[in-house]
Amino acid sequence: DLHSFPTRRSSDLLVVSIHDVTPSTQAIVQEMIDDLKKSGVSCCSLLVIPYYHEKELLTTAPAFVEWLQEKQKEGHEIVLHG
């Protein structure tokens, strides 16, 4: 039932997407996530490039994949991009 959802104004909602998330951008993306959290943004969409410039293959970066899994558990949305 749609009437059971809390009423929110559209100005109360925000979607944040971080583009070009790759193993080589992981550290800066984590900094961005931390800064967003300090500003009240608890989760965002992480747009992950699976084969960045044909140099960084997602399947060859297990630590990065684990980090993405942690981010997903924290509520972030993982989206394939590019």
Side-chain angles (χ1 to χ4, degrees), residues 9-32:
R9 299 182 324 240
S10 61
S11 62
D12 293 338
L13 304 174
L14 175 69
V15 175
V16 175
S17 298
I18 301 176
H19 290 249
D20 298 347
V21 178
T22 65
S24 63
T25 63
Q26 179 180 345
I28 189 71
V29 170
Q30 184 60 58
E31 286 181 34
M32 294 169 75

Side-chain angles (χ1 to χ4, degrees), residues 2-72:
L2 290 176
H3 299 288
S4 65
F5 288 103
T7 303
R8 291 191 173 195
R9 299 182 324 240
S10 61
S11 62
D12 293 338
L13 304 174
L14 175 69
V15 175
V16 175
S17 298
I18 301 176
H19 290 249
D20 298 347
V21 178
T22 65
S24 63
T25 63
Q26 179 180 345
I28 189 71
V29 170
Q30 184 60 58
E31 286 181 34
M32 294 169 75
I33 290 169
D34 294 342
D35 288 343
L36 286 165
K37 189 171 185 177
K38 291 175 190 173
S39 298
V41 179
S42 60
C43 61
C44 59
S45 297
L46 302 175
L47 281 64
V48 179
I49 299 178
Y51 195 29
Y52 186 62
H53 291 290
E54 297 183 3
K55 295 178 183 169
E56 292 184 51
L57 187 58
L58 189 62
T59 57
T60 62
F64 178 68
V65 172
E66 287 179 24
W67 177 78
L68 288 174
Q69 291 169 333
E70 290 174 19
K71 299 299 114 187
Q72 185 176 27

